[in-house]
Amino acid sequence: MLLRLSLFRIFESLPTILGVVTLVFFLLHLVPGDPVDALLGENAMAADKEVLRKSMHLDQPLWSQYTQYLGGIAQGDWGKSIISQRDIWGLITERLPATALLAGSSLFLALLLALPLGALAARFAGKSQDKAAMTFSLLGVSIPNFWLGPMLMLLFSVLLGWLPVSGMEASGSLVLPTITLGTALAAVLSRMARASWLDSMQTDAIRTARAMGVSERTLWWKHSARMTAIPVVTMFALQMGAVLGGAVITETVFDWPGLGLLTIEAIQGRDYPLVQGCVLLIALFYVSANLLADLLNLWLDPRQRSR
Amino acid sequence: MFVFKAIPKSVYVCLLPPLMCVLVAAVLSVDSYSVDLHQVLSAASSGHLLGTDALGRDILARLAEGVVLSFSVAISVISLCAVIGISLGMVSAWLGGWVDSLLMRFVDIVLSFPGILLAIALAAVLGPGVDKLIIALSAVGWVGFARLTRAQVMSLRHAQYVEAAIASGQTAPYIAFKHLLPNIAAPLLIEASFGLAAVMIGEAGLSFLGIGIQPPAASLGTMIREGSQLMLVAPMQVFWPGLMLFLLVMAANIGGDALRDYLDVRRSS
């Protein structure tokens, strides 16, 4: 039953994935004027333009460009970068480990901060502990990461000299980017944890258990915690996708050689096929994270299966 | 104007420094573009209350321009998003059938991108300019309004007063404006408030990356970008614009929270 439903959900997401690939394909065709002019400049030699036009299949009708693009993606041929002339897939996979490291550590930090904060806020709802935790959360969602990053650098690298300013070679270079990226995630997650914890305490199940004499302690840490786990796990899975969006800016701030920085470098070099590749990969990862959230929800919450 | 009662004092506290900035700059009427290479990166003085930047331009005047720009871009984007999103959401919910499926499928696809990423990609291919920036941010933002409106209208579709309006022969647009819109205004207002915060961060983020508002215009994002390159020599260059942006965003977030509590709406995801 669970397997069948899961397969159905996976199948259901296929049109969305196709839609994502389509949107990314048309992105290039949104470039005002001729993409070849945009890439080479209007004063380029006609012969050079023709070569590029051919190599990007821009001389063919839109429909056949589209089917070729789809076919290429499906076979793992993501095209070639215009600037380095290298395989896009190769360029991307080179940068993936750095991004995975940053994303992983940020998500870990987010969990580490958010769960205790959320629990504290819910346990002392309306009291000063709650207010403090929610103020942190408010600050976390409101601080732009392209400001938090430089401010952290200023304090810990420039003034105190404890940590390296940027790059990823030096030891401790992961710390500041992780805090920068993880804070906003922690803020969202702790709010969510607090809200769902308070919600679960309002349910009939908890009221019944309380009436039957279950101790408050058991109510909180056993019954309610389990109910809270469902939305929190779902939210966490969703954030696994969102973290890559935030990584684009954080990596730029810290010169962190990941996928996000590659995207920005591609944009600055007007290497549109590479931009397409980066955006597509991040979006596909995001869709997978959403799907994972869905499947986890299905697995954790039996009520979802009956729908 | 019932909503003003809901706004807590902390919103005004957050808005005070940016507002002061704009007012003082207006009173002093310093030009935010005038370059003075004899006064590069100078400290605060009576002539330049917050000092000058790398080209000797007055920071206070540029901050004021940035605040106004940030706010006006945010208002334009949110208005555009609201008009598009609310109309499409209503059409989708009202007509149902294939129109609804098609629109919602499209919304799903747009939501399959991390918002900031799609805005970055769009801004990058559309090229620089405030108008293109507004288009890029709106292209991402309208889906939230569309989804919310659709869900709300669906739940009201069979309310008695709506059925009564249909039975008495009123047209769909009339029902939409007279009956539906006032009843779904509360959650939309909350969405708009959080949306303002998101758009201000989005605009500054794109400008920070160099694909939004272009120099010499003073956007808070471009100022943070320029300032973070000068962090070792002049740390305040990056501090001020970030602080202003942070305060504006926080005001919008607190406002959204307060509205949600006041109007007692539970945010449906």
Side-chain angles (χ1 to χ4, degrees):
Chain A
M1 178 65 183
L2 186 57
L3 183 72
R4 230 183 71 196
L5 261 172
S6 307
L7 285 175
F8 181 71
R9 287 282 164 91
I10 294 172
F11 184 73
E12 226 181 19
S13 67
L14 287 180
T16 311
I17 292 176
L18 183 68
V20 166
V21 179
T22 309
L23 199 62
V24 171
F25 168 78
F26 280 106
L27 215 53
L28 183 66
H29 295 267
L30 277 177
V31 178
D34 188 347
V36 174
D37 278 347
L39 291 168
L40 293 179
E42 284 178 31
N43 302 324
M45 305 247 280
D48 288 343
K49 283 191 189 176
E50 216 39 55
V51 172
L52 183 63
R53 203 180 298 278
K54 266 231 160 61
S55 77
M56 288 175 71
H57 309 295
L58 287 171
D59 52 343
Q60 291 167 24
L62 201 58
W63 178 248
S64 84
Q65 284 180 46
Y66 177 60
T67 47
Q68 274 178 16
Y69 185 70
L70 279 188
I73 296 290
Q75 290 166 17
D77 171 20
W78 287 40
K80 274 197 163 46
S81 152
I82 294 176
I83 290 176
S84 66
Q85 286 299 322
R86 287 184 49 203
D87 199 41
I88 287 175
W89 184 245
L91 282 168
I92 288 178
T93 44
E94 238 173 55
R95 298 293 193 100
L96 268 183
T99 296
L101 180 65
L102 176 60
S105 65
S106 306
L107 285 166
F108 182 69
L109 177 73
L111 267 187
L112 214 61
L113 283 176
L115 294 185
L117 275 179
L120 188 76
R123 193 75 186 89
F124 298 97
K127 302 220 174 74
S128 56
Q129 292 94 328
D130 179 25
K131 286 194 181 116
M134 286 306 102
T135 306
F136 164 79
S137 164
L138 180 69
L139 293 176
V141 289
S142 304
I143 292 188
N145 50 8
F146 46 89
W147 187 54
L148 179 60
M151 286 293 113
L152 290 173
M153 259 188 230
L154 205 57
L155 181 63
F156 291 104
S157 313
V158 179
L159 290 178
L160 297 172
W162 290 352
L163 293 162
V165 177
S166 63
M168 76 178 285
E169 284 82 31
S171 66
S173 55
L174 183 61
V175 178
L176 293 184
T178 301
I179 299 176
T180 305
L181 190 53
T183 306
L185 297 175
V188 177
L189 205 60
S190 61
R191 263 180 178 223
M192 179 80 193
R194 174 186 184 269
S196 30
W197 212 312
L198 287 178
D199 275 355
S200 70
M201 288 305 283
Q202 305 285 328
T203 54
D204 290 343
I206 295 290
R207 198 173 304 131
T208 311
R210 185 178 275 145
M212 288 171 72
V214 177
S215 74
E216 277 305 299
R217 204 189 161 84
T218 319
L219 274 183
W220 271 91
W221 296 112
K222 203 170 156 206
H223 298 258
S224 180
R226 281 192 187 177
M227 283 190 253
T228 310
I230 299 170
V232 169
V233 166
T234 312
M235 190 68 196
F236 186 70
L238 288 177
Q239 285 196 330
M240 285 173 63
V243 72
L244 287 187
V248 176
I249 287 179
T250 307
E251 286 180 4
T252 312
V253 171
F254 288 97
D255 220 6
W256 186 262
L259 190 57
L261 189 61
L262 181 68
T263 313
I264 298 303
E265 287 165 357
I267 286 173
Q268 281 161 354
R270 293 194 180 182
D271 193 343
Y272 292 120
L274 185 56
V275 176
Q276 267 182 322
C278 294
V279 171
L280 182 62
L281 189 85
I282 297 177
L284 287 182
F285 192 81
Y286 193 62
V287 176
S288 321
N290 286 1
L291 187 63
L292 179 72
D294 231 21
L295 296 181
L296 278 173
N297 216 336
L298 214 56
W299 178 57
L300 288 172
D301 190 351
R303 286 168 301 182
Q304 298 278 333
R305 290 176 221 160
S306 54
R307 283 209 217 142
Chain B
M1 287 290 104
F2 64 101
V3 289
F4 284 113
K5 278 191 291 184
I7 297 175
K9 287 189 196 76
S10 44
V11 171
Y12 299 112
V13 173
C14 287
L15 287 178
L16 194 64
L19 269 180
M20 284 292 286
C21 206
V22 175
L23 283 179
V24 172
V27 170
L28 296 178
S29 71
V30 193
D31 182 16
S32 61
Y33 292 97
S34 74
V35 172
D36 182 357
L37 293 177
H38 295 295
Q39 292 218 27
V40 169
L41 298 176
S42 69
S45 64
S46 57
H48 303 284
L49 291 181
L50 294 179
T52 56
D53 71 359
L55 292 173
R57 294 172 296 193
D58 187 72
I59 291 181
L60 181 74
R62 294 187 69 73
L63 276 183
E65 197 193 317
V67 167
V68 172
L69 196 62
S70 175
F71 196 68
S72 43
V73 167
I75 292 286
S76 327
V77 171
I78 289 300
S79 316
L80 207 60
C81 287
V83 171
I84 299 172
I86 294 172
S87 333
L88 288 181
M90 279 203 177
V91 168
S92 198
W94 196 259
L95 294 180
W98 66 269
V99 178
D100 185 36
S101 310
L102 198 71
L103 272 171
M104 285 307 119
R105 187 50 92 177
F106 188 63
V107 166
D108 280 346
I109 292 170
V110 175
L111 286 173
S112 302
F113 293 84
I116 185 74
L117 179 76
L118 192 58
I120 288 173
L122 278 173
V125 295
L126 289 175
V130 178
D131 49 340
K132 310 228 173 76
L133 181 72
I134 291 176
I135 295 175
L137 290 169
S138 306
V140 179
W142 67 273
V143 287
F145 284 96
R147 262 210 164 170
L148 187 62
T149 307
R150 176 179 175 272
Q152 297 285 324
V153 172
M154 290 283 234
S155 69
L156 291 180
R157 183 79 174 73
H158 297 290
Q160 278 192 336
Y161 61 87
V162 177
E163 301 270 10
I166 299 172
S168 64
Q170 278 158 4
T171 60
Y174 182 84
I175 296 173
F177 274 104
K178 269 285 182 215
H179 297 295
L180 294 174
L181 205 51
N183 279 296
I184 63 172
L188 289 173
L189 206 60
I190 296 163
E191 172 85 14
S193 187
F194 287 118
L196 274 183
V199 171
M200 284 190 284
I201 287 198
E203 176 269 310
L206 293 181
S207 302
F208 171 81
L209 292 172
I211 46 181
I213 291 167
Q214 300 294 314
S219 147
L220 296 175
T222 39
M223 288 177 79
I224 294 176
R225 174 193 176 89
E226 289 161 3
S228 57
Q229 288 155 358
L230 296 166
M231 224 159 49
L232 294 177
V233 269
M236 295 314 268
Q237 302 276 330
V238 60
F239 177 75
W240 289 118
L243 181 69
M244 291 302 151
L245 179 63
F246 168 57
L247 290 173
L248 286 175
V249 171
M250 191 140 94
N253 276 331
I254 299 176
D257 273 343
L259 279 177
R260 182 160 59 194
D261 293 342
Y262 182 73
L263 301 168
D264 197 24
V265 177
R266 303 208 49 191
R267 214 162 128 85
S268 52
S269 55

